[in-house]
Amino acid sequence: MYVCLCKGVTDRQLRQAVEEGASSWKEVREATGCASQCCKCARVGKEIVRDALVELEPRYDLAYAV
């Protein structure tokens, strides 16, 4: 789906930027151009990036953490 209509950025492109090493909203914006004009897409873009970062985060069983 298109997230940023001004620049034609899709949710797939945002996720791809994260997969390629972007580790913050700022880095994703720089890589894709998302939210660089009217910024109406920023809230949705941030949510997508946050979810993509969480998916890449290793999952640990913290039940036995000391």
Side-chain angles (χ1 to χ4, degrees), residues 8-43:
V9 179
T10 65
D11 60 327
R12 182 176 289 171
Q13 289 172 297
L14 296 177
R15 288 187 184 95
Q16 183 177 359
V18 170
E19 290 172 5
E20 292 174 355
S23 60
S24 68
W25 170 239
K26 181 180 178 183
E27 290 177 0
V28 171
R29 285 182 60 198
E30 291 171 354
T32 63
C34 186
S36 63
Q37 281 191 327
C38 76
C39 294
K40 290 182 180 179
C41 59
R43 184 183 57 81

Side-chain angles (χ1 to χ4, degrees), residues 18 23 49-60 62:
V18 170
S23 60
V49 169
R50 185 180 320 119
D51 291 345
L53 288 169
V54 167
E55 288 174 12
L56 288 179
E57 189 176 305
R59 290 175 172 69
Y60 298 103
L62 298 178

